[in-house]
Each structure stands twice: as structure tokens, then as C-alpha cells.
Amino acid sequence: MTKEEEKKELISILEELEKKIASIKEEIKKMQKKEKQKEIKPEPKKEEIVFLEEEEEDSFQEEVNFFLENYRLLRIHFQEEELNYVLPSKKHPNYQNILLRCYYSSIKEIEDLNELKKDSSEEEIKEIEELIQQEERKKNLLKGKIEKKQEEKEEEIDEKNEIILVPTISGNIRILDELEHIPMEYYEGFKELINSIVDGTFKNVKVLTNDRYLMGICEVKLFKIRVVFSRLSKNKYALITAFMKKSDTDKLYLESLKSKVFDFHKMESTLKELIKKEDFLKQNEESVKEMYSLLEKKEKNKVLRKEDCCDY
């Protein structure tokens, strides 16, 4: 198969995939409308309806953007292990589709680089050739993963990510302080989000781009709850903050988030050095155990109200 035929075949697969996703979304919307008609509830605010519909529409693309960003940032002469860390877990429901998007990204990058060579100097061409080789290697490694049989994938062991709990300027673990002030009925949802970072499925992941101070920061989310994080190294992720959120238009929420991200950036380089030290990792492990112990607490005789459900 020529490169041109390979490209056409991949584009065809991606187009079919997008049609299927659009069809599934339409079916979900129809079912949701039927369910709403059965229930007698106060009508939600108009802005909240728009917010939820937009999140449903963009959810898959936001996930793709998260993995694509890390895929594109792979260094020259990367180890195959590093590629594995920037790809989704094999447990991810869109594992194959995300790999296809990354594969197509490399094809497009190679085309652009070849075009760039036409007006480049001899020295620049050498650098461009090295970048093309990088993309070819990424593409070939991905092709092998895409073509693997399902039973072979199941035999492989998924690598776990490690979470690093970010301290405040005063030295307290921020996420522990925050969870103490969140109703316990939401703990199960927060645990699911944190576990999705650990196992590499990244539940409803989104790269934050709505403010220049938040560039490079990501979040995983369920209805009303968020966990904000950043990648420190190949398999270590810093948990910056966890909170409840009702609207994207809440200015107070945005200012608070920016402040916490600013604090994180001030200590980011220090954290990247600390995660190389055994003593720090042991101390962090104790904090992580404390966090899970807190999340596994249950309120007695507490009935979860339907309107407070965390289903996305």
C-alpha cells in the first residue's frame, strides 16, 4: 500500500468514526429528552442547559486534544516506554480511536514538514529530516499498536501512573484540605476521577484553554466535580486542586483556580526535582493513602438526593 493509499484509508476510517460518534450523540439526546418528559422537575436555567449540551458535544474532541498534546511533545529520540505513557490506557473506551487520531496527526505533520523543505536551506533541511524521522517512528510504533489483535492487548499489563499531591505555600496538602470541606456524597465521584488519572483512562479529560494563565493545565470531570492536574514526568501527575463547580461562567471559580495554578507553577520546578527523591515519594505515598482513606468514608443514614447525583 502506498503512502497516499494509506492516507486515504485512514481518512475514510476517521470519517466513518465521526459519523458513528455523531449518530450516538443524537441517540443519547433523544433518550435524554424522553427521560426529561417523564420527570416533573423545575426547568433548569438556560445557561446550564447550553453548558451541559456543549460539554456532551465536545467531550470526545477534548479527550483527543489532551492525548494529542502529549503525543506531539514527545522529545527527539524518545524511548518507546515514553510513547506508552502519553497514550491512553487500553481500558479507555476510545483507545483505538485516539490512536488513529494520533496516527493521522503524524501523517499530517510529515506532509507539512516535506512542504517546508522546499523553501529551506541545506542546514534547515537536515533538521527537518530529523523531525520527519521522529514522526515516521511515532507513526510506525502506533501502527503496530493499532493492528494488534484484541487478545494480545488483553495479555499486556497496563502501567499505572503515580499521583503527586501538591502542597500549598504553607506546606499543607491542598487537595486534603479541599476534600474536608466537600459533602461526602461526592467522594465516590472524586475517587473515580483520581483513579482515572492513575489508570490512564482520564475520565472526561479536558485541556484548559479558556485563560492564558491556565495553559498546559488539565482537568478530569464529572457533573459538578473537577480534579485539576498537570503532568510532571513520564508517569507522574500533580493533583493541583479538587472542587465542586456549577457553571463555566462563575468568575469567582476562575479566579480561585488561577490562584491555585499560579501557586503550583511557583513550585513546579521544585516538585520535578523532588519526585526523583525516595524520601519525598514515601512521604507523598502516605499523603495519598490519607486521601483515599478520606474518600472512602461513608455518612451513615445519608440518602443521596437524585438532583445531587454525580452522573455526567
Side-chain angles (χ1 to χ4, degrees):
M1 184 183 291
T2 66
K3 286 190 177 181
E4 189 60 31
E5 289 172 334
E6 183 181 18
K7 178 185 169 185
K8 286 180 181 178
E9 183 181 354
L10 182 61
I11 290 172
S12 175
I13 292 170
L14 289 172
E15 286 174 347
E16 283 300 314
L17 171 63
E18 286 174 351
K19 285 179 186 177
K20 286 179 184 177
I21 291 170
S23 174
I24 291 167
K25 284 180 179 177
E26 193 59 38
E27 288 300 315
I28 290 171
K29 282 185 179 179
K30 287 179 183 177
M31 290 170 65
Q32 286 176 334
K33 283 180 183 178
K34 287 180 182 178
E35 288 300 316
K36 283 180 182 178
Q37 288 171 358
K38 293 177 185 177
E39 298 174 2
I40 302 172
K41 282 186 177 180
E43 189 175 348
K45 291 179 182 178
K46 189 175 181 180
E47 64 178 44
E48 289 179 349
I49 295 174
V50 174
F51 168 59
L52 290 175
E53 285 182 353
E54 285 177 351
E55 285 197 331
E56 271 182 21
E57 287 292 325
D58 297 339
S59 180
F60 176 67
Q61 189 55 49
E62 286 171 354
E63 284 189 328
V64 170
N65 290 342
F66 168 74
F67 290 107
L68 265 179
E69 181 174 333
N70 287 323
Y71 176 75
R72 287 169 178 156
L73 289 174
L74 278 169
R75 63 184 179 87
I76 295 283
H77 308 308
F78 67 90
Q79 300 294 316
E80 186 173 351
E81 180 190 49
E82 293 175 71
L83 173 64
N84 293 335
Y85 281 124
V86 304
L87 296 176
S89 163
K90 296 173 187 66
K91 297 174 186 175
H92 196 294
N94 284 318
Y95 173 77
Q96 196 83 345
N97 299 335
I98 291 169
L99 262 60
L100 281 169
R101 291 293 184 97
C102 290
Y103 186 84
Y104 179 70
S105 169
S106 282
I107 289 176
K108 185 70 172 63
E109 184 67 17
I110 291 167
E111 284 184 351
D112 292 343
L113 288 167
N114 278 320
E115 192 66 28
L116 189 62
K117 280 167 59 178
K118 294 177 182 178
D119 299 311
S120 300
S121 66
E122 191 173 331
E123 187 176 340
E124 288 171 334
I125 288 173
K126 286 181 181 178
E127 292 178 5
I128 293 170
E129 285 290 353
E130 189 173 14
L131 291 173
I132 290 173
Q133 287 175 14
Q134 157 96 338
E135 290 302 323
E136 287 286 0
R137 182 165 172 252
K138 286 161 68 174
K139 184 168 72 74
N140 290 335
L141 286 170
L142 275 183
K143 188 175 182 181
K145 293 177 183 297
I146 292 167
E147 292 175 346
K148 274 191 176 180
K149 294 179 181 179
Q150 186 63 35
E151 57 267 25
E152 289 174 340
K153 286 196 298 181
E154 288 171 356
E155 288 173 5
E156 294 177 5
I157 299 171
D158 279 330
E159 294 287 343
K160 296 290 184 184
N161 293 319
E162 190 172 348
I163 51 176
I164 305 298
L165 305 190
V166 175
T168 61
I169 299 299
S170 61
N172 295 329
I173 301 300
R174 185 185 297 280
I175 197 168
L176 293 179
D177 291 346
E178 291 169 333
L179 289 171
E180 288 284 2
H181 296 90
I182 290 173
M184 287 185 177
E185 57 260 40
Y186 292 98
Y187 280 7
E188 186 177 345
F190 278 109
K191 185 179 177 183
E192 181 180 349
L193 291 180
I194 292 167
N195 283 342
S196 77
I197 297 173
V198 174
D199 66 24
T201 55
F202 295 97
K203 185 80 173 181
N204 300 315
V205 70
K206 177 182 179 181
V207 180
L208 301 180
T209 56
N210 55 336
D211 190 284
R212 65 189 180 92
Y213 293 104
L214 302 178
M215 297 297 285
I217 302 298
C218 307
E219 69 177 12
V220 282
K221 57 188 178 177
L222 287 169
F223 182 49
K224 286 190 179 183
I225 63 176
R226 304 288 189 271
V227 175
V228 175
F229 68 96
S230 180
R231 190 165 181 248
L232 291 173
S233 69
K234 60 183 181 181
N235 70 328
K236 289 183 173 60
Y237 290 82
L239 299 195
I240 300 170
T241 179
F243 57 92
M244 294 181 64
K245 177 184 176 191
K246 294 182 180 178
S247 170
D248 266 356
T249 58
D250 187 344
K251 289 183 180 178
L252 187 62
Y253 133 76
L254 188 57
E255 290 305 314
S256 174
L257 178 57
K258 283 162 64 175
S259 174
K260 291 168 186 176
V261 169
F262 180 72
D263 287 347
F264 163 70
H265 281 315
K266 285 197 290 188
M267 64 179 73
E268 185 176 5
S269 59
T270 302
L271 281 172
K272 286 181 177 180
E273 289 302 314
L274 286 172
I275 60 175
K276 299 173 186 176
K277 298 180 179 179
E278 196 63 33
D279 287 347
F280 174 79
L281 292 176
K282 284 182 181 178
Q283 185 180 347
N284 180 74
E285 188 179 347
E286 290 304 312
S287 296
V288 170
K289 285 179 183 177
E290 185 180 347
M291 178 192 67
Y292 276 112
S293 178
L294 177 63
L295 289 173
E296 284 159 9
K297 283 183 180 178
K298 303 290 182 184
E299 277 190 312
K300 293 179 181 178
N301 304 317
K302 181 78 176 179
V303 178
L304 182 63
R305 294 179 301 165
K306 192 168 186 177
E307 60 268 29
D308 283 340
C309 182
C310 292
D311 288 343
Y312 193 63

